[in-house]
Amino acid sequence: MSPSLIGGSGRFAAALLATTAIAVAMPALAQEGDEAGDSDDVIVVTAQKREQNQQDVPVAITALGNKKLAELQVKELQDAVKYLPSVTLQKTNEGTTQIYFRGLASGENANHSTSQPTVGVYLDEMPITTIQGPLDIQAYDLARVEALAGPQGTLYGASSMAGTIKLVTNAPDMSGNYGGADFELNTVAHGAIGGIAQGFYNAKISDDAAMRLVGWYRHDAGYIDNILGSRTYKTSGITDTNAALVEDNYNDADIYGARLALGIDLDDNWTLRPTVMGQVQKANGNGQQERSSAVTKKLQMVQYNPERNDDKWLQAALTIEGKIGDWDLVATGGQLWRETHRDNDYSDYSYFYDALYDYGAYFYDDNGDYISPNQYIEAVGKYRRSFGELRISSPQENRLRFIGGVFAQRQKHNILEDYIVDDETDYFVVPGTESDIWLTHQKRVDRDYAAFGELSYDITDQFTITGGARLYNYKNSLVGFFGFSGNFSSGTGVAACFGPAIVKGTPCTNIDKVTSDTDAIYKVNATYKITDDAMVYATWSQGFRPGGINRRGTLPPYRPDKLDNYEIGWKTQFGPLRFNGAIYQEDWNDIQLSFLGANGLSEVRNAGIARVRGVEAEIGYREGGFSLTASGSYNDAKITRDFCAIAVPSFDCTVDVDLDGSGAIDDGSEFNALLSPAGTRLPVTPKFKGNLVARYTFPLGDWDAHVQGAFAHVGKRRSDLRTLENAIKGMFPSFNTVDASIGAENGTFRVELFATNLFDSNGILDASVQCVETTCGDPGNVSNTGGVFYNYPIRPRTVGLKFGVDF
């Protein structure tokens, strides 16, 4: 990016505040004029499980409608996040996205055996957040994206501790037959050519029934180069090269899918809405860039094994809406099937373990000759989610109003990961596998049940109070096998088994645990309508995340963590100017922190307490053909108690140890287990994040033409909560992006030329490393003597041409 255009976070914050004429950093205004026929700039949202004008909802919401999503070049949720001021995103590869609200991130590594996400993602009525993140959904024919900041636990449950994102599709329309098609051709800087073809058709079947069919195909161009490299293993002297895998732009992807929805009015009161939706994503290579002496340029890496990430899913859902007397009833349920296939290079682990510990000495064939310890992963994840909810609500015109219901879901994840060393002696191969040096094969089941309700009462025509509660029960289990063969390790894997195989395909069982809990969370809200165009509210709300099982059997289950949110917000409209915002404090207790522990195994510990103090706001102005929107958030998020390396630490993080093995505690034997002191900022999310969008529409003959510019800023972030690991991995620097577009439409045809990330910023979303610590995982013994770091960059500058037609 040009330094004359883009400054640091302080200069951007000052410019944004001056532009918007407000003295706060910036959440919660729906984008104007997104819905067809919304001449009064009204956005209808379903944040409180019923249709309402966004300006009447006492919740911090950012809503991007169908038209706005297209204007901002949003193809998937990642593209929308930079325009959602409260939301940040962590991503290391396709299908492994973690989403955070208001700085509430502890650095989760998204492992299959760790915590559930803190943010719930819904597709219409159905939750679609699997254990390792939400589905990647093509953002086409969506009515809107709603981002609900803060705990939404009373209405949305366990996966909405920090916030909720709703993807609302366009419903079948019984008014007539019509459709549309959109095409795009784009080129990526430093990369190749991509494109999109997508379309929809709405068919009126009768006066009481309609069908909507949507389909899409997208090719994402690659821009990461796998360059030539070689490695010589110290122990054996064997040299590996990746010459056969050298390729430019090797991280391309193909995504295709479809959605079929029906709308059937049984009578004036009852409607059926069945939907089937599925998508296939085939991603080649790896979307990361390497930080090592072998790589001198950005957007390059050296990988020694083929890599891919295939993700396919199918969702079937049914919603029944009707009336019992004058009360509304909604029954909804569905099934989600998801299957992922992942091949990953794991040679860094082999190389640095050999360099540090002569690891290669253990790798030889059945003849006793050395082989390359080069290692790779072949992984299959199979998910199954069953979901159901039944809720009723009283007439909205009543002074006393109620909404409540019951909820149940069951998530099952069949985990299979083969860590393979080719030609390894059968003596070390995990029994029952062809060439695994390590096997993870487990079944994880997460169950959630709840009863919920909210009661609202209008004390006056202007003043309303609301109280809500959710009684919940969860039961989570993990069973199966992980580890080495009994001949390779005397303490893990087969050596740690305590019973015969429960999961088919495993040699035995070394993990079989269950954890459960029953509790309740609450919400209280007071809303005052100053005028028809100005509202203030105050909220205390709670959210939670279920506990779970640590797959290392010697560790206890991790407990639930909870969030208390104290918030004051406002929503105002002054003619063409709209200004919404919120000020809040969030207290996060018993934080579930997931990280690589001893022997490189992921583990979760309840790390203590954090506090977030923040402000978020959005201001929008529209006059004639000109519109301007600015939004942002500031979050001071930090832990308020020392985080220690032991499960039950003393308050000063010290541990008495037996230095000489005598069984007695020696004087001066205290070990300082402090990993991060009180006051440490939470990782992943910046203090400040903001965006500015300006658009001008003007007549051009029989066409309506437009020009648009968008600017987004993401501030500096920690990479890890722990002090030493953060120093090794480094801070994520702040970055800025500029998008621009120019185009025209005439009611039937539309054409647009656009550029995203115009100045080709190399902003970093996340980082990973296979082996950085001298023991590859011992949190008490860390150095930077080995390992290769990988950064996940944003997509480089992309320039494209779009063409669409309505019929």
Side-chain angles (χ1 to χ4, degrees):
M1 235 181 198
S2 168
S4 64
L5 291 174
I6 306 305
S9 61
R11 292 195 299 275
F12 171 72
L16 182 56
L17 296 182
T19 301
T20 58
I22 56 176
V24 293
M26 313 219 167
L29 166 71
Q31 303 296 330
E32 308 87 35
D34 288 342
E35 303 296 324
D38 285 345
S39 58
D40 296 326
D41 295 340
V42 173
I43 293 291
V44 175
V45 297
T46 54
Q48 295 188 312
K49 302 276 189 174
R50 58 181 181 268
E51 292 187 349
Q52 294 174 282
N53 180 348
Q54 185 269 339
Q55 288 297 98
D56 294 332
V57 181
V59 175
I61 308 172
T62 302
L64 303 174
N66 181 282
K67 185 178 178 181
K68 185 64 68 175
L69 292 170
E71 292 173 356
L72 296 173
Q73 318 304 330
V74 173
K75 299 177 177 64
E76 57 185 354
L77 187 57
Q78 179 179 336
D79 300 326
V81 163
K82 63 182 177 182
Y83 301 106
L84 304 177
S86 299
V87 184
T88 53
L89 178 143
Q90 185 181 28
K91 186 170 184 176
T92 54
N93 241 315
E94 302 303 323
T96 54
T97 299
Q98 297 294 312
I99 301 169
Y100 305 102
F101 272 88
R102 292 181 171 176
L104 288 162
S106 60
E108 288 85 354
N109 61 10
N111 183 272
H112 48 70
S113 299
T114 58
S115 304
Q116 294 186 31
T118 62
V119 173
V121 180
Y122 278 68
L123 178 62
D124 293 323
E125 293 282 351
M126 184 170 179
I128 57 169
T129 304
T130 57
I131 293 160
Q132 290 181 260
L135 304 177
D136 287 335
I137 293 178
Q138 177 74 1
Y140 184 69
D141 199 48
L142 294 181
R144 62 190 175 275
V145 174
E146 300 177 17
L148 287 58
Q152 307 297 322
T154 51
L155 290 181
Y156 289 94
S159 294
S160 295
M161 182 180 78
T164 299
I165 292 179
K166 296 188 67 175
L167 309 177
V168 183
T169 61
N170 282 317
D173 179 6
M174 299 170 192
S175 67
N177 299 323
Y178 58 91
D182 291 273
F183 305 91
E184 178 183 316
L185 185 67
N186 60 62
T187 178
V188 181
H190 322 287
I193 295 175
I196 301 174
Q198 52 195 1
F200 77 94
Y201 187 71
N202 187 94
K204 177 181 178 180
I205 300 173
S206 69
D207 290 341
D208 300 317
M211 175 188 73
R212 197 174 187 96
L213 179 63
V214 186
W216 60 89
Y217 170 78
R218 186 175 105 214
H219 176 72
D220 287 346
Y223 49 87
I224 302 289
D225 299 338
N226 191 23
I227 65 173
L228 182 66
S230 64
R231 282 175 170 168
T232 299
Y233 291 93
K234 183 183 77 170
T235 302
S236 64
I238 293 175
T239 297
D240 281 344
T241 179
N242 70 337
L245 300 174
V246 170
E247 183 182 351
D248 289 344
N249 312 320
Y250 92 131
N251 66 318
D252 62 327
D254 291 283
I255 303 103
Y256 53 91
R259 174 169 61 91
L260 176 63
L262 296 175
I264 304 170
D265 288 341
L266 300 179
D267 56 30
D268 291 341
N269 293 325
W270 291 89
T271 299
L272 301 181
R273 290 190 285 113
T275 303
V276 177
M277 184 174 182
Q279 181 174 281
V280 175
Q281 178 175 268
K282 295 182 177 293
N284 299 311
N286 191 313
Q288 301 177 77
Q289 61 188 18
E290 186 171 317
R291 282 191 283 157
S292 73
S293 58
V295 174
T296 59
K297 296 181 179 180
K298 297 176 180 178
L299 305 178
Q300 291 184 341
M301 66 192 320
V302 182
Q303 295 293 277
Y304 291 85
N305 294 286
E307 295 194 298
R308 65 162 179 154
N309 201 324
D310 295 347
D311 186 354
K312 58 183 179 181
W313 54 267
L314 177 68
Q315 181 217 44
L318 173 64
T319 298
I320 303 172
E321 297 179 328
K323 283 186 174 294
I324 299 178
D326 57 357
W327 286 57
D328 294 323
L329 181 142
V330 177
T332 183
Q335 297 280 337
L336 172 67
W337 298 265
R338 184 183 187 187
E339 185 170 324
T340 61
H341 291 256
R342 175 172 55 90
D343 294 342
N344 279 126
D345 184 10
Y346 207 55
S347 61
D348 293 347
Y349 180 94
S350 304
Y351 177 78
F352 286 105
Y353 245 78
D354 184 48
L356 293 167
Y357 304 115
D358 297 331
Y359 177 72
Y362 296 96
F363 292 92
Y364 46 84
D365 59 22
D366 287 332
N367 297 321
D369 297 324
Y370 276 132
I371 61 171
S372 168
N374 171 51
Q375 194 170 156
Y376 58 95
I377 303 171
E378 293 181 352
V380 178
K382 294 183 179 181
Y383 306 80
R384 175 75 175 269
R385 177 196 288 269
S386 303
F387 152 80
E389 181 174 290
L390 177 67
R391 66 178 184 268
I392 58 171
S393 56
S394 61
Q396 294 309 298
E397 63 272 14
N398 291 356
R399 184 175 291 275
L400 179 66
R401 298 178 298 280
F402 173 78
I403 181 171
V406 292
F407 169 92
Q409 71 172 354
R410 184 178 188 271
Q411 301 181 77
K412 179 180 177 182
H413 185 190
N414 191 329
I415 306 159
L416 174 60
E417 293 187 343
D418 298 299
Y419 292 70
I420 299 170
V421 176
D422 289 332
D423 303 320
E424 171 69 355
T425 175
D426 291 341
Y427 187 70
F428 285 155
V429 169
V430 176
T433 70
E434 293 185 6
S435 53
D436 285 17
I437 191 65
W438 175 285
L439 171 67
T440 297
H441 196 174
Q442 302 166 337
K443 287 186 178 179
R444 172 175 177 169
V445 181
D446 293 63
R447 310 161 186 86
D448 297 289
Y449 312 97
F452 62 91
E454 286 192 359
L455 191 65
S456 298
Y457 181 68
D458 296 334
I459 296 177
T460 70
D461 290 342
Q462 290 78 37
F463 185 48
T464 302
I465 58 171
T466 299
R470 190 179 188 96
L471 176 66
Y472 67 83
N473 170 265
Y474 70 81
K475 181 180 179 182
N476 300 331
S477 61
L478 185 67
V479 61
F481 174 87
F482 67 98
F484 299 106
S485 76
N487 297 322
F488 193 87
S489 172
S490 60
T492 61
V494 172
C497 282
F498 50 76
I502 296 176
V503 176
K504 185 178 180 180
T506 61
C508 50
T509 299
N510 58 18
I511 178 67
D512 185 7
K513 285 191 173 183
V514 178
T515 186
S516 64
D517 191 25
T518 300
D519 206 340
I521 56 174
Y522 303 95
K523 170 185 175 180
V524 177
N525 171 269
T527 301
Y528 185 73
K529 199 91 168 174
I530 302 170
T531 70
D532 288 342
D533 296 320
M535 176 185 75
V536 294
Y537 67 88
T539 298
W540 168 66
S541 57
Q542 292 184 306
F544 83 102
R545 179 168 51 166
I549 301 299
N550 271 300
R551 63 172 172 166
R552 185 188 294 276
T554 55
L555 294 176
Y558 50 93
R559 304 183 303 276
D561 50 359
K562 282 191 175 182
L563 187 71
D564 284 274
N565 175 60
Y566 308 90
E567 178 174 334
I568 297 174
W570 62 93
K571 296 191 174 183
T572 61
Q573 180 91 40
F574 306 103
L577 184 68
R578 188 182 296 179
F579 177 41
N580 296 346
I583 301 171
Y584 48 85
Q585 175 172 311
E586 299 191 322
D587 296 329
W588 191 5
N589 295 294
D590 283 336
I591 302 169
Q592 295 176 13
L593 177 71
S594 57
F595 58 92
L596 293 180
N599 306 117
L601 288 178
S602 295
E603 59 184 69
V604 182
R605 293 180 182 169
N606 295 94
I609 302 172
R611 184 198 65 214
V612 180
R613 288 174 176 166
V615 57
E616 49 188 25
E618 187 168 3
I619 189 166
Y621 175 82
R622 176 186 291 272
E623 188 70 35
F626 177 73
S627 64
L628 178 70
T629 302
S631 67
S633 65
Y634 176 87
N635 289 286
D636 182 20
K638 59 183 66 174
I639 59 173
T640 58
R641 190 171 71 190
D642 293 348
F643 171 44
C644 309
I646 51 179
V648 187
S650 61
F651 285 106
D652 59 358
C653 285
T654 57
V655 187
D656 291 325
V657 294
D658 177 10
L659 294 176
D660 58 11
S662 64
I665 301 300
D666 303 304
D667 290 338
S669 64
E670 288 185 341
F671 165 66
N672 188 347
L674 178 66
L675 293 184
S676 53
T680 301
R681 278 179 55 190
L682 294 178
V684 179
T685 59
K687 277 191 175 181
F688 181 77
K689 179 190 177 192
N691 67 82
L692 181 68
V693 181
R695 184 180 180 88
Y696 181 62
T697 303
F698 56 94
L700 186 65
D702 294 332
W703 294 63
D704 291 325
H706 69 266
V707 292
Q708 178 174 292
F711 176 80
H713 169 82
V714 176
K716 186 178 180 181
R717 295 139 290 147
R718 289 178 66 93
S719 60
D720 202 290
L721 178 63
R722 297 165 295 169
T723 302
L724 190 53
E725 284 80 353
N726 186 72
I728 293 172
K729 291 169 69 175
M731 299 287 289
F732 297 147
S734 62
F735 67 90
N736 307 291
T737 58
V738 173
D739 300 346
S741 62
I742 182 171
E745 58 182 323
N746 67 357
T748 301
F749 299 101
R750 52 190 171 273
V751 62
E752 184 175 56
L753 178 67
F754 72 91
T756 58
N757 193 8
L758 182 62
F759 296 97
D760 203 23
S761 168
N762 191 245
I764 303 303
L765 294 176
D766 201 1
S768 66
V769 61
Q770 283 185 3
C771 182
V772 64
E773 302 158 344
T774 56
T775 56
C776 281
D778 181 357
N781 183 17
V782 186
S783 79
N784 57 1
T785 57
V788 176
F789 292 92
Y790 300 91
N791 289 337
Y792 193 98
I794 62 174
R795 181 172 289 270
R797 178 179 59 247
T798 302
V799 178
L801 181 65
K802 296 165 64 174
F803 172 78
V805 59
D806 292 328
F807 52 84

